[in-house]
Amino acid sequence: MSLNNKVATKFPNLKPRGPGGEALLNAERAKTSFDVKELSKFMYTEKWLDKMNKVLEVITNEPAFDKSGRYYQSRKDKIATGLWKDKRMIELAREHMWDEEDSRLANFLYDQSTPFSLHYGMFIPTLMSQTTDEQKKLFLEPALKHEIIGCYAQTELGHGSNVQGLETTATYIPETNEFEIHSPTLTASKWWIGGLGKAANHAIVMARLITDGKDLGPHPFCVQIRSLEDHRPLAGITVGDIGPKFGFNSVDNGFIMFDHYRVPHVAFLAKYSQVKASTGEYSKPPNAKLSYGTMVYVRANIVMGVRYALAKAATIAIRYSTVRQQFVDAASPKKWDNKVIETPVLDYTMQQYRLLPIVASAYACFFTGREMLRLYDLNQEAMKNGNFTLLADLHASSSGLKSLTTTMAVDSIEECRRACGGHGYSNFSGLGQFYQDYLPNVTWEGDNYILTQQTARYLLKTFRNVVAGKAEPSEYNQTITYL
């Protein structure tokens, strides 16, 4: 006789010792000196909140957006459900006639990166900002319609922060009016590229432009890497997934190598710099940092996203600290219905010391992030008119703030986890996997130590110019105005 031990556990119908968590939370919320809903309207606007609630109402009942099984999923399952969600979101956008902001809100509420995240976050923004009208029709329009899915291939196995050290080459061939993209060494392999492992069939490839025998440094190319018929890698392409990571396992980070791979002349993104067809004559951009525009955009959005990371971690830890009770204060015992109860952890000064500065930081980063994006938008408008004076200050500001704010966020998430005691170590606290998935922010788009040094160097250079009388205050350079 076989033994069947797969019997569901039956829990006794026990209630928590009173007062319950809901009662403790309500008691704390009753002490609030301001209207929470009015504060939300002030920060986000009523229009944005209404939009968010409408999107939330749609996705709440969508199985593809279900979060309940996340902590049980394998990496393979995470990527599969991410692709399911990405596909379903495209369908929902059509069914409900969502605009771009509605789709962003759906991604925001899903609260987990997916294989298509880099398509929206880096591939499309690069095509928007660094292409000619011809290239917009050829690449951007299909990308917006999801006829092609892309990623951003810059980082290599051998080089990350040192963009100028990238090894992948793109040599212009005048006889055929093509570029030959090649990985000359193992360390030239593009590595860590989100969306590349499984999803992407196109990539923005940063490669060293070589024309007329001259190495002109990294430039962006839009390159098809997989067949649009069967998704197989094209001849001359070796591409795959890099495997499990410390976190962020819902994204298919991949690698790619090129073996003398030919792409047409139009693949070279030519809004700011050009290579003349047939002759290979090079026209340099008005500013050397223009090709890094996507990185500045992503850094600005990382700064913007820090507020949510801080707010999420603080919300979990503070709510937990409100309902978690430990010890009785003999000198000043807490009472509930005239009975002495254990003290909520949040009432202890040490817990407030640990958590309340994180709440303050979340508000500070909210307004800092908004100002960062305002500067980015101001720079975009200025560049349309040929004004590049803000670019250097924007680059330095986004670098410094990305470093500062993401370091604050990572430290705060871990502090919040530890403030939840043993329960913080459970995945169900919402903090463990959150920490793992957020942690790459201190490394990608520039290692935080390197970015801090770059910002310091810019500040010293600007200070010397101010002292020497070579710099004038301008709305396009807040650093000069401040100094």
Side-chain angles (χ1 to χ4, degrees):
M1 185 178 75
S2 61
L3 178 65
N4 178 18
N5 63 355
K6 295 181 179 179
V7 179
T9 302
K10 293 183 178 180
F11 288 92
N13 186 24
L14 297 175
K15 301 293 182 183
R17 184 192 61 185
E22 185 177 359
L24 289 166
L25 281 169
N26 288 336
E28 290 295 336
R29 287 168 176 159
K31 301 173 186 176
T32 307
S33 60
F34 56 89
D35 189 315
V36 175
K37 290 184 178 179
E38 288 302 314
L39 178 62
S40 296
K41 291 177 185 178
F42 169 74
M43 295 181 73
Y44 295 100
T45 74
E46 193 166 2
K47 179 183 176 183
W48 188 91
L49 292 168
D50 288 342
K51 219 172 180 32
M52 183 191 70
N53 287 326
K54 287 178 182 177
V55 171
L56 180 61
E57 188 177 352
V58 171
I59 66 174
T60 295
N61 299 313
E62 284 290 334
F65 284 77
D66 180 37
K67 302 179 182 181
S68 61
R70 279 187 183 175
Y71 300 132
Y72 297 100
Q73 289 181 324
S74 66
R75 179 167 184 265
K76 182 179 179 181
D77 291 337
K78 287 177 185 290
I79 291 174
T81 53
L83 287 168
W84 179 27
K85 168 262 171 187
D86 286 332
K87 178 177 181 293
R88 184 60 185 140
M89 198 184 80
I90 295 167
E91 295 168 347
L92 288 172
R94 291 171 182 161
E95 291 170 14
H96 296 275
M97 300 180 67
W98 281 351
D99 58 20
E100 188 178 342
E101 188 175 13
D102 290 318
S103 296
R104 278 201 302 266
L105 282 167
N107 277 322
F108 166 70
L109 292 166
Y110 185 70
D111 196 27
Q112 182 169 274
S113 295
T114 63
F116 280 21
S117 292
L118 271 291
H119 175 74
Y120 302 117
M122 296 189 79
F123 185 69
I124 286 176
T126 302
L127 295 177
M128 284 181 167
S129 64
Q130 300 195 43
T131 50
T132 63
D133 290 340
E134 177 190 8
Q135 290 171 328
K136 282 181 170 59
K137 289 182 180 179
L138 189 61
F139 302 124
L140 178 59
E141 290 182 11
L144 291 171
K145 296 174 184 176
H146 301 95
E147 293 170 0
I148 64 174
I149 300 298
C151 58
Y152 188 85
Q154 176 171 290
T155 298
E156 295 177 354
L157 185 60
H159 290 89
S161 295
N162 181 16
V163 178
Q164 290 300 321
L166 295 179
E167 298 178 66
T168 303
T169 58
T171 305
Y172 181 64
I173 313 296
E175 292 79 10
T176 58
N177 195 30
E178 294 176 305
F179 292 94
E180 185 177 270
I181 300 181
H182 184 58
S183 306
T185 65
L186 178 63
T187 47
S189 308
K190 296 297 182 183
W191 198 266
W192 283 117
I193 313 305
L196 179 60
K198 302 288 183 185
N201 50 45
H202 281 68
I204 300 296
V205 178
M206 289 295 285
R208 308 189 72 81
L209 173 62
I210 298 173
T211 181
D212 195 25
K214 297 176 183 176
D215 184 337
L216 299 166
H219 285 70
F221 296 78
C222 187
V223 178
Q224 183 178 346
I225 58 173
R226 288 185 173 106
S227 167
L228 299 183
E229 300 297 325
D230 59 12
H231 206 60
R232 292 179 181 272
L234 299 178
I237 298 265
T238 302
V239 62
D241 188 277
I242 67 170
K245 300 152 295 195
F246 181 74
F248 213 65
N249 283 301
S250 57
V251 174
D252 54 330
N253 292 79
F255 69 88
I256 190 167
M257 291 177 277
F258 302 92
D259 184 9
H260 300 283
Y261 183 72
R262 297 287 184 94
V263 297
H265 178 269
V266 74
F268 178 77
L269 301 192
K271 180 173 183 178
Y272 296 115
S273 58
Q274 295 81 36
V275 174
K276 192 172 182 180
S278 301
T279 68
E281 181 183 350
Y282 177 72
S283 300
K284 67 180 182 179
N287 188 295
K289 288 186 169 60
L290 283 171
S291 62
Y292 304 145
T294 303
M295 283 196 298
V296 174
Y297 171 79
V298 173
R299 285 173 187 164
N301 276 280
I302 288 173
V303 173
M304 189 74 166
V306 166
R307 59 186 182 173
Y308 298 126
L310 290 166
K312 178 179 177 178
T315 298
I316 293 170
I318 287 176
R319 286 181 180 175
Y320 174 81
S321 298
T322 301
V323 303
R324 176 69 165 178
Q325 298 167 268
Q326 292 288 286
F327 307 108
V328 173
D329 186 345
S332 180
K334 190 174 183 71
K335 293 185 177 181
W336 192 278
D337 291 336
N338 293 319
K339 295 180 181 178
V340 173
I341 63 171
E342 286 188 272
T343 305
V345 174
L346 189 60
D347 285 1
Y348 290 107
T349 306
M350 180 56 70
Q351 194 76 343
Q352 295 173 14
Y353 173 81
R354 298 170 76 179
L355 296 179
L356 296 187
I358 298 173
V359 177
S361 296
Y363 282 95
C365 287
F366 177 93
F367 295 104
T368 300
R370 195 158 69 180
E371 177 63 12
M372 183 73 257
L373 276 188
R374 187 194 72 80
L375 284 175
Y376 176 82
D377 291 337
L378 179 65
N379 177 65
Q380 291 300 104
E381 288 301 314
M383 289 199 303
K384 288 178 184 177
N385 299 317
N387 181 355
F388 301 98
T389 54
L390 179 56
L391 188 57
D393 199 66
L394 177 69
H395 184 269
S397 298
S398 64
S399 296
L401 282 172
K402 183 266 183 184
S403 175
L404 172 65
T405 58
T406 57
T407 298
M408 288 167 57
V410 164
D411 291 345
S412 295
I413 295 169
E414 172 62 5
E415 187 63 48
C416 286
R417 186 196 66 77
R418 293 172 66 183
C420 291
H423 293 304
Y425 196 67
S426 168
N427 264 347
F428 296 109
S429 72
L431 292 168
Q433 185 175 301
F434 177 35
Y435 176 82
Q436 290 175 287
D437 290 346
Y438 191 82
L439 194 57
N441 281 275
V442 301
T443 303
W444 62 28
E445 304 311 315
D447 174 80
N448 279 5
Y449 280 93
I450 300 295
L451 293 183
T452 301
Q453 290 176 329
Q454 289 179 356
T455 304
R457 182 174 60 190
Y458 171 77
L459 288 171
L460 290 171
K461 179 181 177 181
T462 304
F463 179 72
R464 285 194 295 268
N465 287 338
V466 169
V467 171
K470 298 178 181 178
E472 295 182 2
S474 164
E475 72 166 315
Y476 295 104
N477 196 311
Q478 298 294 324
T479 305
I480 291 176
T481 303
Y482 176 79
L483 292 173

